[in-house]
Amino acid sequence: MDILNDSYYMSLALDMAEKAAGQTDINPIVGCVVVKDGRIIGIGTHLKRGTGHAEVHALQMAGEEAEGATAYVTLEPCSHFGKTPPCCERLIDAKVARVVVATTDPNPQVAGRGIERLRECGIEVEVGLLGERSNQMNEKFNKYITTKLPFVTLKTASTLDGKIASRTGDSRWVTGSAAREQVHTLRHQHMGIMVGIGTVLADDPQLTTRADVPALHPVRIVIDSSLKLPLTAHVVTDRTARTIVIATEQADDAKAQELLTAGVELIRAGSGEQVDLPEAMRKLGELEIGSILLEGGGKLNGAMLTAGLIDKIMLYMAPKIIGGAAAPGTFDFEGFEKMAQAIELERTQVEQAGADICISGYPVYRHV
């Protein structure tokens, strides 16, 4: 193994894969680089669910030169027939001599079988190079494929004193343009964007990616226990993106029919007064919505957090102080009695976004 060159080519494959984030539906993002005699002869990225995987594109570019070459793949080549044929067979047919894999595929249909198949056919396989980066890149896929539950990223913007709006409800704008542009990219990278009915009633948001940021629009998901959503709301009248409303079993049937007639999809979750959020997540997973960007208000954020349903938190903080005891905060829930019970974030990072900062991390749940 030439670790220096191997790392270079695997990094290139990972860089290419990242460019397709948000385009592959519930599939992982994968890159592949084929190298022979110190020369790149094929590159490929998985671009869309149901189309050729990264290995297929790279091998097509390499052609007959692939024989005896090394293929660098960011995720274990699949070994099963899905919407496309298994990639490990393509590598075998191409007669590559060596395959370097960043990480194994957590998909129960693969889970080491692709690597085993390659080795059975005499191909040298090495696993683990830059595997941590590959797993981080596919954190949404990794959760969904093993649990059938969406990976939920909470994105919120607040002032330094933790307010997401003023005491009058004004929230335009908490953060600057650089942070807001990043949020539109985040929307593109998730299959769904979720808010509570309070956000819709207060702001009437479009919940789409911005026109000048080339991107796919996520499914709009509104938690609306008693179906207060107006038929005139943007998420109803604007057909740019699909809209799903989640209500309880108690919600008014007549209003439900009006929304359905207007083109809105409806999910019922829970028989009580409030939506059963764990059940809602299960039902969204059944619809193959594998990742959700949560942009809720304090109550929805608090409810999702206390239910242990948030996988990642991205908190944008503006260098502003607005005060106000009645001003809404990032999380609105009963809270814990002692500091030792607080939900902590691990693997935290701090990044600059214009004048604002973004603190991100993964919540550790001890209370759920």
Coordinates of all heavy atoms in Angstrom, one line a residue, residues 158-251:
S158 N -30.3 32.3 16.4 CA -30.6 33.1 17.6 C -29.7 34.2 17.8 O -28.6 34.2 17.2 CB -30.7 32.1 18.8 OG -29.3 31.9 19.2
T159 N -30.1 35.1 18.7 CA -29.1 36.1 19.2 C -28.2 35.5 20.2 O -28.4 34.4 20.6 CB -30.0 37.3 19.7 OG1 -30.8 36.8 20.8 CG2 -30.8 37.9 18.7
L160 N -27.3 36.3 20.7 CA -26.4 35.8 21.8 C -27.2 35.4 23.0 O -26.7 34.6 23.8 CB -25.3 36.9 22.1 CG -24.3 37.1 21.0 CD1 -23.3 38.2 21.4 CD2 -23.5 35.8 20.7
D161 N -28.3 36.1 23.3 CA -29.1 35.8 24.5 C -30.2 34.7 24.2 O -31.1 34.6 24.9 CB -29.7 37.0 25.1 CG -30.4 37.9 24.1 OD1 -30.2 37.8 22.9 OD2 -31.3 38.7 24.6
G162 N -30.0 34.0 23.1 CA -30.9 32.8 22.8 C -32.2 33.1 22.3 O -33.1 32.3 22.4
K163 N -32.5 34.3 21.7 CA -33.8 34.7 21.2 C -33.8 34.4 19.7 O -32.9 34.8 18.9 CB -34.1 36.1 21.5 CG -34.0 36.5 23.0 CD -34.9 35.7 23.8 CE -34.8 36.2 25.3 NZ -35.8 35.5 26.2
I164 N -34.9 33.8 19.2 CA -35.1 33.6 17.8 C -36.0 34.6 17.1 O -36.2 34.6 15.9 CB -35.7 32.2 17.5 CG1 -37.1 32.0 18.2 CG2 -34.7 31.1 18.0 CD1 -37.7 30.7 17.9
A165 N -36.5 35.5 18.0 CA -37.3 36.7 17.5 C -37.4 37.7 18.6 O -37.1 37.4 19.8 CB -38.7 36.2 17.0
S166 N -37.9 38.9 18.3 CA -38.1 39.9 19.3 C -39.3 39.6 20.1 O -40.1 38.7 19.7 CB -38.1 41.3 18.6 OG -39.4 41.4 18.0
R167 N -39.6 40.4 21.1 CA -40.8 40.2 21.9 C -42.1 40.5 21.1 O -43.2 40.1 21.4 CB -40.8 41.1 23.1 CG -40.7 42.6 22.9 CD -40.5 43.4 24.2 NE -40.3 44.8 23.9 CZ -41.3 45.7 23.7 NH1 -42.5 45.3 23.6 NH2 -41.0 47.0 23.5
T168 N -41.9 41.2 19.9 CA -43.1 41.4 19.0 C -43.2 40.4 18.0 O -44.2 40.4 17.2 CB -43.0 42.8 18.3 OG1 -41.8 42.8 17.5 CG2 -42.9 43.9 19.3
G169 N -42.3 39.4 17.9 CA -42.3 38.3 17.0 C -41.5 38.6 15.7 O -41.4 37.8 14.8
D170 N -40.8 39.8 15.6 CA -40.0 40.1 14.5 C -38.8 39.2 14.4 O -38.0 39.2 15.4 CB -39.6 41.6 14.5 CG -38.8 41.9 13.3 OD1 -39.2 41.6 12.2 OD2 -37.7 42.6 13.5
S171 N -38.5 38.5 13.3 CA -37.4 37.7 13.2 C -36.6 37.9 11.9 O -35.8 37.1 11.5 CB -37.8 36.2 13.2 OG -38.7 35.9 12.2
R172 N -36.8 39.0 11.2 CA -36.2 39.3 9.9 C -35.2 40.5 10.1 O -35.7 41.6 10.2 CB -37.2 39.6 8.8 CG -38.1 38.4 8.6 CD -38.7 38.5 7.2 NE -39.5 37.3 6.9 CZ -40.0 37.0 5.7 NH1 -39.7 37.7 4.7 NH2 -40.7 35.9 5.5
W173 N -33.9 40.2 10.1 CA -33.3 38.9 10.1 C -32.5 38.7 11.3 O -31.8 39.7 11.7 CB -32.5 38.7 8.8 CG -33.3 38.7 7.5 CD1 -33.4 39.7 6.6 CD2 -34.1 37.6 7.0 NE1 -34.2 39.4 5.6 CE2 -34.6 38.1 5.8 CE3 -34.4 36.4 7.5 CZ2 -35.5 37.3 5.0 CZ3 -35.2 35.5 6.7 CH2 -35.7 36.0 5.5
V174 N -32.5 37.6 11.9 CA -31.6 37.3 13.0 C -30.2 37.2 12.6 O -29.3 37.9 13.2 CB -32.0 36.0 13.7 CG1 -31.1 35.7 14.9 CG2 -33.5 36.1 14.3
T175 N -29.9 36.5 11.6 CA -28.6 36.3 11.1 C -28.4 37.0 9.8 O -29.3 37.5 9.1 CB -28.2 34.8 10.9 OG1 -29.2 34.2 10.1 CG2 -28.2 34.1 12.3
G176 N -27.1 37.1 9.3 CA -26.8 37.8 8.1 C -26.9 36.9 6.8 O -27.3 35.7 6.9
S177 N -26.6 37.5 5.7 CA -26.8 36.8 4.4 C -26.0 35.6 4.2 O -26.4 34.6 3.6 CB -26.5 37.8 3.2 OG -25.2 38.3 3.3
A178 N -24.8 35.6 4.7 CA -23.9 34.4 4.6 C -24.5 33.2 5.3 O -24.5 32.1 4.7 CB -22.5 34.7 5.2
A179 N -25.0 33.4 6.5 CA -25.7 32.3 7.2 C -26.9 31.8 6.5 O -27.2 30.6 6.4 CB -26.0 32.7 8.6
R180 N -27.7 32.8 6.0 CA -29.0 32.4 5.3 C -28.7 31.6 4.0 O -29.4 30.7 3.7 CB -29.8 33.6 5.0 CG -30.3 34.4 6.3 CD -31.4 35.3 6.0 NE -31.1 36.3 5.0 CZ -30.5 37.5 5.4 NH1 -30.2 37.8 6.6 NH2 -30.3 38.4 4.4
E181 N -27.6 32.0 3.3 CA -27.2 31.2 2.1 C -26.9 29.8 2.5 O -27.2 28.9 1.8 CB -26.1 31.9 1.4 CG -25.8 31.3 0.1 CD -24.8 32.1 -0.8 OE1 -24.9 33.4 -0.7 OE2 -24.0 31.5 -1.5
Q182 N -26.1 29.6 3.6 CA -25.8 28.3 4.0 C -27.0 27.4 4.3 O -27.1 26.2 4.0 CB -24.9 28.3 5.2 CG -23.5 28.8 4.9 CD -22.6 28.7 6.2 OE1 -22.9 28.1 7.2 NE2 -21.4 29.4 6.1
V183 N -28.1 28.1 4.9 CA -29.3 27.4 5.2 C -30.0 26.9 3.9 O -30.5 25.8 3.9 CB -30.2 28.3 6.0 CG1 -31.6 27.7 6.1 CG2 -29.6 28.6 7.4
H184 N -29.9 27.6 2.9 CA -30.6 27.2 1.6 C -29.8 26.0 1.1 O -30.4 25.0 0.5 CB -30.6 28.3 0.6 CG -31.7 29.3 0.9 ND1 -33.0 29.0 0.5 CD2 -31.7 30.5 1.5 CE1 -33.8 30.1 0.9 NE2 -33.0 30.9 1.5
T185 N -28.5 25.9 1.3 CA -27.7 24.7 0.9 C -28.1 23.5 1.8 O -28.3 22.4 1.3 CB -26.2 25.0 1.0 OG1 -25.9 26.1 0.1 CG2 -25.4 23.8 0.6
L186 N -28.3 23.8 3.0 CA -28.8 22.7 3.9 C -30.1 22.2 3.5 O -30.4 21.0 3.6 CB -28.9 23.3 5.4 CG -27.6 23.4 6.2 CD1 -27.8 24.1 7.5 CD2 -27.0 22.0 6.4
R187 N -31.0 23.0 3.1 CA -32.3 22.6 2.7 C -32.2 21.6 1.5 O -32.8 20.6 1.4 CB -33.2 23.8 2.3 CG -33.7 24.6 3.5 CD -34.6 25.7 3.0 NE -35.1 26.5 4.2 CZ -36.0 27.5 4.1 NH1 -36.4 27.9 2.9 NH2 -36.4 28.1 5.2
H188 N -31.3 22.0 0.6 CA -31.1 21.1 -0.6 C -30.5 19.8 -0.2 O -30.8 18.8 -0.8 CB -30.1 21.8 -1.5 CG -29.5 21.0 -2.6 ND1 -30.3 20.4 -3.6 CD2 -28.2 20.6 -2.9 CE1 -29.5 19.7 -4.4 NE2 -28.3 19.8 -4.0
Q189 N -29.7 19.7 0.9 CA -29.1 18.5 1.3 C -30.0 17.6 2.2 O -29.5 16.5 2.6 CB -27.8 18.8 2.1 CG -26.7 19.5 1.2 CD -25.5 20.0 1.9 OE1 -25.6 20.0 3.2 NE2 -24.5 20.2 1.2
H190 N -31.2 18.0 2.4 CA -32.2 17.2 3.2 C -33.4 16.9 2.3 O -33.8 17.8 1.5 CB -32.6 17.9 4.5 CG -31.5 18.0 5.5 ND1 -30.4 18.9 5.4 CD2 -31.3 17.3 6.6 CE1 -29.6 18.7 6.4 NE2 -30.1 17.7 7.2
M191 N -34.0 15.8 2.5 CA -35.2 15.4 1.7 C -36.4 16.1 2.1 O -37.4 16.3 1.4 CB -35.4 13.9 1.8 CG -34.3 13.1 1.1 SD -34.6 11.3 1.2 CE -36.0 11.2 0.1
G192 N -36.5 16.5 3.4 CA -37.7 17.3 3.9 C -37.3 18.4 4.8 O -36.2 18.4 5.4
I193 N -38.1 19.4 4.9 CA -37.9 20.5 5.8 C -39.2 20.6 6.7 O -40.3 20.7 6.2 CB -37.7 21.8 5.0 CG1 -37.5 23.0 6.0 CG2 -38.7 22.1 4.0 CD1 -37.1 24.3 5.3
M194 N -39.0 20.7 8.0 CA -40.1 20.6 8.9 C -40.3 21.8 9.8 O -39.3 22.3 10.3 CB -40.0 19.3 9.8 CG -41.3 19.0 10.6 SD -41.3 17.4 11.3 CE -40.1 17.6 12.7
V195 N -41.5 22.3 9.9 CA -41.8 23.4 10.8 C -43.1 23.1 11.6 O -43.8 22.2 11.2 CB -41.9 24.7 10.1 CG1 -40.7 25.1 9.4 CG2 -43.1 24.7 9.1
G196 N -43.4 23.9 12.6 CA -44.6 23.8 13.3 C -45.7 24.7 12.7 O -45.3 25.7 12.0
I197 N -46.9 24.6 13.0 CA -47.9 25.4 12.5 C -47.8 26.9 13.0 O -48.1 27.8 12.3 CB -49.4 24.9 12.9 CG1 -50.5 25.8 12.3 CG2 -49.5 24.8 14.4 CD1 -50.4 25.8 10.8
G198 N -47.2 27.1 14.2 CA -46.9 28.4 14.7 C -46.0 29.2 13.7 O -46.3 30.4 13.5
T199 N -45.0 28.6 13.2 CA -44.1 29.2 12.3 C -44.8 29.6 11.0 O -44.7 30.7 10.4 CB -42.9 28.3 11.9 OG1 -42.2 28.1 13.1 CG2 -42.0 28.9 10.9
V200 N -45.7 28.7 10.5 CA -46.5 29.0 9.3 C -47.4 30.2 9.5 O -47.5 31.1 8.7 CB -47.2 27.8 8.8 CG1 -48.1 28.1 7.6 CG2 -46.2 26.7 8.4
L201 N -48.1 30.2 10.6 CA -49.1 31.2 10.9 C -48.4 32.6 11.1 O -48.9 33.6 10.7 CB -49.9 30.9 12.2 CG -50.9 29.7 12.0 CD1 -51.5 29.4 13.3 CD2 -51.9 29.9 10.9
A202 N -47.2 32.6 11.7 CA -46.5 33.8 12.0 C -45.8 34.4 10.8 O -45.8 35.6 10.6 CB -45.5 33.6 13.1
D203 N -45.2 33.5 10.0 CA -44.3 34.0 8.9 C -44.8 33.7 7.5 O -44.2 34.2 6.5 CB -42.9 33.4 9.1 CG -42.3 33.7 10.4 OD1 -42.6 34.8 10.9 OD2 -41.4 33.0 10.9
D204 N -45.7 32.7 7.3 CA -46.2 32.3 6.0 C -45.0 32.0 5.1 O -44.9 32.5 4.0 CB -47.1 33.3 5.4 CG -47.8 32.7 4.2 OD1 -47.9 31.5 4.0 OD2 -48.3 33.5 3.3
P205 N -44.1 31.1 5.5 CA -42.8 30.9 4.7 C -43.1 30.0 3.5 O -44.1 29.3 3.4 CB -42.0 30.1 5.7 CG -42.9 29.3 6.6 CD -44.1 30.3 6.7
Q206 N -42.2 30.1 2.5 CA -42.3 29.3 1.3 C -41.7 27.9 1.5 O -42.1 27.0 0.9 CB -41.6 30.0 0.1 CG -42.4 31.3 -0.3 CD -41.7 32.0 -1.5 OE1 -40.6 31.6 -1.9 NE2 -42.4 32.9 -2.1
L207 N -40.6 27.9 2.4 CA -39.9 26.6 2.7 C -39.4 25.9 1.5 O -39.5 24.7 1.3 CB -40.9 25.7 3.5 CG -41.4 26.2 4.8 CD1 -42.2 25.2 5.5 CD2 -40.3 26.7 5.7
T208 N -38.8 26.7 0.6 CA -38.1 26.2 -0.6 C -36.7 26.7 -0.6 O -36.3 27.5 0.2 CB -38.8 26.6 -1.9 OG1 -38.9 28.1 -1.9 CG2 -40.2 26.1 -2.0
T209 N -35.9 26.1 -1.5 CA -34.5 26.7 -1.7 C -34.6 27.9 -2.5 O -35.6 28.1 -3.4 CB -33.6 25.6 -2.4 OG1 -34.3 25.2 -3.6 CG2 -33.4 24.4 -1.6
R210 N -33.7 28.8 -2.3 CA -33.8 30.1 -3.0 C -33.6 30.0 -4.5 O -32.8 29.2 -5.0 CB -32.7 31.0 -2.4 CG -33.1 32.5 -2.2 CD -32.1 33.3 -1.5 NE -30.8 33.1 -2.0 CZ -29.7 33.3 -1.3 NH1 -29.7 33.6 -0.1 NH2 -28.5 33.2 -1.9
A211 N -34.2 30.9 -5.2 CA -34.2 30.8 -6.7 C -32.7 30.9 -7.2 O -32.4 30.3 -8.3 CB -35.0 31.9 -7.3
D212 N -31.9 31.7 -6.6 CA -30.5 31.9 -7.1 C -29.5 30.9 -6.5 O -28.3 31.0 -6.7 CB -30.0 33.3 -6.8 CG -30.0 33.7 -5.3 OD1 -30.7 32.9 -4.6 OD2 -29.3 34.6 -4.9
V213 N -30.0 29.9 -5.8 CA -29.2 28.8 -5.4 C -29.6 27.5 -6.1 O -30.7 26.9 -5.7 CB -29.2 28.6 -3.8 CG1 -28.4 27.4 -3.4 CG2 -28.8 29.9 -3.1
P214 N -29.0 27.0 -7.1 CA -29.4 25.9 -7.9 C -29.5 24.7 -6.9 O -28.6 24.2 -6.3 CB -28.3 25.7 -8.9 CG -27.6 27.0 -9.0 CD -27.7 27.6 -7.6
A215 N -30.7 24.2 -6.8 CA -31.0 23.1 -5.8 C -32.3 22.5 -6.0 O -33.2 23.0 -6.6 CB -30.8 23.6 -4.4
L216 N -32.5 21.3 -5.4 CA -33.7 20.6 -5.4 C -34.5 21.1 -4.2 O -34.0 21.5 -3.2 CB -33.5 19.1 -5.2 CG -32.7 18.4 -6.3 CD1 -32.5 16.9 -6.0 CD2 -33.5 18.5 -7.7
H217 N -35.8 21.2 -4.3 CA -36.7 21.6 -3.2 C -37.0 20.4 -2.3 O -37.5 19.4 -2.8 CB -38.0 22.2 -3.7 CG -37.8 23.5 -4.6 ND1 -37.2 24.6 -4.0 CD2 -38.0 23.7 -5.9 CE1 -37.1 25.5 -5.0 NE2 -37.6 25.0 -6.1
P218 N -36.9 20.6 -1.0 CA -37.3 19.5 -0.1 C -38.8 19.4 0.0 O -39.5 20.3 -0.3 CB -36.6 19.9 1.2 CG -36.6 21.4 1.1 CD -36.3 21.7 -0.3
V219 N -39.3 18.3 0.5 CA -40.7 18.1 0.9 C -40.9 19.0 2.1 O -40.2 19.0 3.0 CB -41.0 16.6 1.2 CG1 -42.4 16.5 1.6 CG2 -40.7 15.7 0.1
R220 N -42.0 19.8 2.0 CA -42.4 20.6 3.1 C -43.3 19.9 4.1 O -44.3 19.3 3.7 CB -43.1 21.9 2.6 CG -42.2 22.7 1.7 CD -42.9 23.9 1.0 NE -44.0 23.4 0.1 CZ -44.5 24.2 -0.8 NH1 -44.0 25.4 -1.0 NH2 -45.5 23.8 -1.6
I221 N -42.9 19.9 5.4 CA -43.6 19.1 6.4 C -44.1 20.1 7.5 O -43.2 20.8 8.1 CB -42.7 18.0 7.0 CG1 -42.2 17.0 5.9 CG2 -43.5 17.2 8.1 CD1 -41.0 16.2 6.3
V222 N -45.4 20.1 7.8 CA -45.9 21.0 8.8 C -46.6 20.2 9.9 O -47.5 19.4 9.6 CB -46.9 22.0 8.2 CG1 -47.5 22.9 9.2 CG2 -46.3 22.8 7.0
I223 N -46.1 20.3 11.1 CA -46.7 19.7 12.3 C -47.9 20.6 12.7 O -47.7 21.7 13.1 CB -45.7 19.5 13.4 CG1 -44.5 18.7 13.0 CG2 -46.4 18.9 14.6 CD1 -44.8 17.3 12.5
D224 N -49.1 20.1 12.5 CA -50.3 20.9 12.7 C -51.4 20.0 13.4 O -52.3 19.5 12.7 CB -50.8 21.5 11.3 CG -52.0 22.4 11.5 OD1 -52.4 22.7 12.6 OD2 -52.6 22.7 10.4
S225 N -51.3 19.9 14.7 CA -52.1 18.9 15.4 C -53.6 19.0 15.1 O -54.3 18.0 14.8 CB -51.9 19.1 16.9 OG -50.6 18.8 17.2
S226 N -54.1 20.3 15.1 CA -55.6 20.4 14.9 C -56.0 21.1 13.5 O -57.1 21.6 13.4 CB -56.1 21.3 16.0 OG -55.4 22.5 16.2
L227 N -55.1 21.0 12.6 CA -55.3 21.5 11.2 C -55.8 23.0 11.2 O -56.8 23.3 10.7 CB -56.3 20.6 10.5 CG -55.9 19.2 10.2 CD1 -56.9 18.4 9.4 CD2 -54.6 19.2 9.4
K228 N -54.9 23.8 11.7 CA -55.1 25.3 11.6 C -54.6 25.9 10.4 O -54.7 27.1 10.1 CB -54.5 26.0 12.8 CG -55.0 25.5 14.2 CD -54.3 26.2 15.3 CE -54.8 25.8 16.7 NZ -54.0 26.4 17.8
L229 N -53.9 25.1 9.5 CA -53.3 25.6 8.3 C -54.3 26.3 7.4 O -55.2 25.7 6.9 CB -52.6 24.5 7.6 CG -51.8 24.9 6.3 CD1 -50.6 25.8 6.6 CD2 -51.3 23.6 5.6
P230 N -54.1 27.6 7.1 CA -55.0 28.3 6.1 C -54.8 27.8 4.7 O -53.7 27.4 4.3 CB -54.6 29.8 6.2 CG -53.7 29.9 7.5 CD -53.1 28.5 7.6
L231 N -55.9 27.7 4.0 CA -55.8 27.3 2.6 C -55.1 28.3 1.7 O -54.7 28.0 0.6 CB -57.2 27.1 2.0 CG -58.0 25.9 2.7 CD1 -59.4 25.9 2.1 CD2 -57.3 24.6 2.5
T232 N -54.9 29.5 2.3 CA -54.2 30.6 1.5 C -52.7 30.6 1.8 O -51.9 31.4 1.3 CB -54.8 31.9 1.9 OG1 -54.7 32.1 3.4 CG2 -56.2 32.1 1.5
A233 N -52.2 29.7 2.7 CA -50.8 29.7 3.1 C -49.9 29.3 1.8 O -50.3 28.6 1.0 CB -50.5 28.7 4.2
H234 N -48.7 29.9 1.8 CA -47.8 29.6 0.7 C -47.6 28.1 0.5 O -47.5 27.6 -0.6 CB -46.4 30.3 1.0 CG -46.3 31.6 0.3 ND1 -46.1 32.8 1.1 CD2 -46.4 32.0 -1.0 CE1 -46.0 33.8 0.3 NE2 -46.2 33.4 -1.0
V235 N -47.4 27.4 1.6 CA -47.2 25.9 1.5 C -48.3 25.2 0.9 O -48.2 24.0 0.5 CB -46.8 25.3 2.9 CG1 -45.5 25.9 3.4 CG2 -47.9 25.5 3.9
V236 N -49.5 25.8 0.8 CA -50.7 25.2 0.2 C -50.8 25.6 -1.3 O -51.0 24.8 -2.2 CB -52.0 25.5 1.0 CG1 -53.2 24.9 0.3 CG2 -51.9 25.0 2.4
T237 N -50.7 26.9 -1.5 CA -51.0 27.5 -2.8 C -49.8 27.3 -3.8 O -50.0 27.2 -5.0 CB -51.4 29.0 -2.7 OG1 -50.3 29.7 -2.1 CG2 -52.6 29.2 -1.9
D238 N -48.6 27.3 -3.2 CA -47.4 27.2 -4.1 C -47.1 25.7 -4.3 O -46.7 25.0 -3.4 CB -46.2 27.9 -3.4 CG -44.9 27.7 -4.1 OD1 -45.0 27.4 -5.3 OD2 -43.9 27.9 -3.5
R239 N -47.2 25.3 -5.5 CA -47.0 23.9 -5.9 C -45.5 23.6 -6.3 O -45.2 22.5 -6.8 CB -47.9 23.4 -7.0 CG -49.4 23.6 -6.7 CD -49.9 22.7 -5.6 NE -51.3 22.9 -5.4 CZ -52.3 22.1 -5.9 NH1 -51.9 21.2 -6.8 NH2 -53.5 22.3 -5.6
T240 N -44.6 24.5 -6.0 CA -43.2 24.3 -6.3 C -42.7 23.1 -5.7 O -41.9 22.3 -6.2 CB -42.4 25.5 -5.8 OG1 -42.9 26.7 -6.5 CG2 -40.9 25.3 -6.2
A241 N -43.1 22.8 -4.4 CA -42.7 21.6 -3.7 C -43.9 20.9 -3.1 O -44.9 21.5 -2.9 CB -41.7 22.0 -2.6
R242 N -43.7 19.6 -2.8 CA -44.7 18.8 -2.2 C -44.8 19.2 -0.7 O -43.9 19.6 0.0 CB -44.1 17.4 -2.2 CG -44.9 16.3 -1.6 CD -44.2 15.0 -1.8 NE -44.7 13.9 -1.1 CZ -44.1 12.7 -0.8 NH1 -42.8 12.6 -1.3 NH2 -44.6 11.8 -0.2
T243 N -46.1 19.2 -0.2 CA -46.4 19.6 1.2 C -47.1 18.4 1.9 O -48.1 17.9 1.4 CB -47.2 20.8 1.3 OG1 -46.5 21.9 0.7 CG2 -47.6 21.2 2.7
I244 N -46.6 18.1 3.1 CA -47.2 17.1 3.9 C -47.6 17.8 5.3 O -46.7 18.4 5.9 CB -46.3 15.9 4.2 CG1 -45.9 15.2 2.9 CG2 -46.9 14.9 5.2 CD1 -44.9 14.1 3.1
V245 N -48.8 17.6 5.7 CA -49.3 18.1 7.0 C -49.5 16.9 7.9 O -50.1 15.9 7.5 CB -50.6 18.9 6.8 CG1 -51.1 19.3 8.2 CG2 -50.3 20.2 6.0
I246 N -49.0 17.0 9.1 CA -49.2 15.9 10.1 C -50.1 16.4 11.2 O -49.8 17.4 11.9 CB -47.8 15.5 10.6 CG1 -46.9 15.1 9.5 CG2 -48.0 14.3 11.6 CD1 -45.5 14.6 9.9
A247 N -51.2 15.7 11.4 CA -52.2 16.1 12.4 C -52.5 14.9 13.2 O -52.0 13.8 13.0 CB -53.4 16.6 11.7
T248 N -53.4 15.1 14.2 CA -53.8 14.0 15.1 C -55.0 13.3 14.5 O -55.7 13.8 13.6 CB -54.1 14.5 16.5 OG1 -55.3 15.3 16.4 CG2 -53.0 15.3 17.1
E249 N -55.4 12.2 15.1 CA -56.6 11.5 14.7 C -57.8 12.4 15.0 O -58.9 12.2 14.4 CB -56.7 10.2 15.4 CG -55.6 9.2 15.1 CD -55.7 8.6 13.7 OE1 -56.7 8.8 13.0 OE2 -54.7 7.9 13.3
Q250 N -57.7 13.3 15.9 CA -58.9 14.1 16.3 C -59.1 15.3 15.4 O -60.2 15.9 15.4 CB -58.6 14.7 17.7 CG -58.5 13.7 18.8 CD -58.3 14.4 20.2 OE1 -58.5 15.6 20.3 NE2 -57.9 13.6 21.2
A251 N -58.2 15.6 14.5 CA -58.3 16.8 13.7 C -59.5 16.7 12.8 O -59.9 15.6 12.3 CB -57.0 16.9 12.8

